[in-house]
Amino acid sequence: MSATILDGKTLGLKIRESVKVRAAAIKDKGIIPCLAVVLVGEDPASLSYVTSKEKALTEAGMESLDLRLPENTSEEQLLLVIADLNKNDKVHGILVQSPVPKHINEERIIAAILPEKDVDCFHPVSVGNMILERPGFLPCTPYGVLALLREYNVPVSGAHVVIVGRSNIVGKPLANLLIRREYNATVTLCHTGTKNLEYHTLQADILVAAVGKPDIIKPEMVKEGAAVIDVGINRVPDASLPKGYRVCGDVDPAVAQKCGFFTPVPGGVGPMTIAMLLQNVIEAAEWRLK
Ligand code: GUN
């Protein structure tokens, strides 16, 4: 039997349409939902991500305040930009694209964003609220993964979810969300210190790869019929293509022959991250109204 594709592009568009309706409703009350998108430097992948985010915001009838700062922006200058955005009542959300240049302390920048405007859910207060199940934004990529699993009725309650990768953006928050009673999964979190990775991945009913290394999850590491979620977006040099690279995930495409569900790259988790970001922005704007 062939695997079911978890189509993040289609679900992402559906969510963006619902955000558009909410944006129109709040506009009638005089509020234009606005996200400030800050990019420091010219990393090509980051530039492409922020451009996609800005385009999606505009398409949903929201405002995107695009701030492009030069690579040599100092930490103090960036902190001043954040302070201004915190004070600006027209701005409902603030996103600083990660990574920032090495001379800037990213932790300090994130900590400077008001948690009420932290639509990425990166601020320590936002992360604490998420873990304690208090009101607040949910982090976009994990939230997108959960939405995909729900849309396709992948059984999560009681399932063994194995996550590979302990990043602050994906692995750690996703593990925390999945152990909530509402999801009720049993979670194993693997990382570079894990001995015998394959032993663990083979146990997974749902396997999440969030490592950032091309094709490291091979068919022999996956249980027959498992759901495989590929969070990786890797650029691999390919001179035969006009762009000079191709995009691939953390999962070897041959896994599709063996699993029950899988997310394509591109078109799986990536578009879901953007859709959930938009959903957080509209929620931020709606909270303002209350
Ligand atoms: N870099 C990679 N993913 C993300 C994200 O979701 N938000 C931000 N701000 N930076 C990122």
Side-chain angles (χ1 to χ4, degrees):
M1 220 180 69
S2 65
T4 301
I5 296 173
L6 303 175
D7 178 356
K9 197 168 169 202
T10 302
L11 178 57
L13 282 173
K14 196 163 109 182
I15 292 168
R16 285 162 59 172
E17 280 304 313
S18 75
V19 168
K20 193 172 177 173
V21 172
R22 286 163 73 181
I26 199 171
K27 263 194 204 164
D28 289 344
K29 296 183 174 147
I31 293 182
I32 302 170
C34 172
L35 176 68
V37 181
V38 183
L39 174 64
V40 186
E42 277 146 30
D43 175 64
S46 290
L47 184 60
S48 134
Y49 296 146
V50 298
T51 308
S52 302
K53 290 171 186 176
E54 290 159 355
K55 187 164 163 271
L57 283 158
T58 314
E59 280 171 12
M62 305 202 276
E63 201 170 319
S64 139
L65 178 60
D66 310 339
L67 298 171
R68 300 276 191 275
L69 306 178
E71 176 80 25
N72 64 4
T73 302
S74 71
E75 189 173 304
E76 299 311 320
Q77 285 168 326
L78 183 53
L79 287 170
L80 288 175
V81 169
I82 305 288
D84 276 343
L85 295 171
N86 282 339
K87 274 187 266 166
N88 187 339
D89 281 342
K90 292 203 167 75
V91 171
H92 304 101
I94 301 170
L95 179 148
V96 178
Q97 185 65 25
S98 173
V100 292
K102 287 199 171 57
H103 63 275
I104 297 176
N105 179 339
E106 188 160 291
E107 272 183 23
R108 246 189 114 195
I109 301 304
I110 291 170
I113 297 171
L114 273 181
E116 301 92 277
K117 297 192 178 188
D118 176 32
V119 288
D120 265 326
C121 191
F122 288 174
H123 190 287
V125 167
S126 311
V127 177
N129 284 335
M130 177 205 57
I131 292 173
L132 298 173
E133 304 188 36
R134 293 184 187 166
F137 301 112
L138 295 183
C140 305
T141 302
Y143 196 11
V145 169
L146 295 171
L148 259 183
L149 293 171
R150 186 165 279 173
E151 174 76 6
Y152 285 88
N153 298 311
V154 177
V156 177
S157 183
H160 184 187
V161 183
V162 177
I163 301 171
V164 188
R166 58 179 151 191
S167 70
N168 290 344
I169 298 191
V170 184
K172 277 185 214 164
L174 182 59
N176 274 288
L177 290 171
L178 282 162
I179 59 170
R180 288 183 174 195
R181 276 179 205 279
E182 65 176 300
Y183 296 107
N184 228 21
T186 300
V187 178
T188 299
L189 185 48
C190 299
H191 45 75
T192 45
T194 300
K195 287 181 185 156
N196 199 352
L197 178 64
E198 185 175 324
Y199 165 81
H200 294 283
T201 58
L202 272 170
Q203 316 291 318
D205 303 312
I206 301 173
L207 177 61
V208 181
V211 180
K213 292 206 178 93
D215 296 350
I216 72 151
I217 303 295
K218 303 287 181 194
E220 61 273 19
M221 299 168 74
V222 177
K223 181 166 76 176
E224 196 84 42
V228 180
I229 310 294
D230 190 350
V231 182
I233 303 176
N234 307 296
R235 289 187 172 196
V236 178
D238 187 337
S240 72
L241 297 173
K243 283 182 174 170
Y245 66 88
R246 65 188 169 86
V247 172
C248 76
D250 292 351
V251 178
D252 183 333
V255 168
Q257 309 302 317
K258 199 175 176 190
C259 61
F261 300 86
F262 75 96
T263 57
V265 176
V269 176
M272 291 303 296
T273 298
I274 295 185
M276 299 335 251
L277 172 69
L278 265 55
Q279 195 161 290
N280 281 348
V281 176
I282 190 67
E283 258 160 43
E286 288 168 354
W287 280 339
R288 186 71 62 81
L289 197 63
K290 290 176 200 146

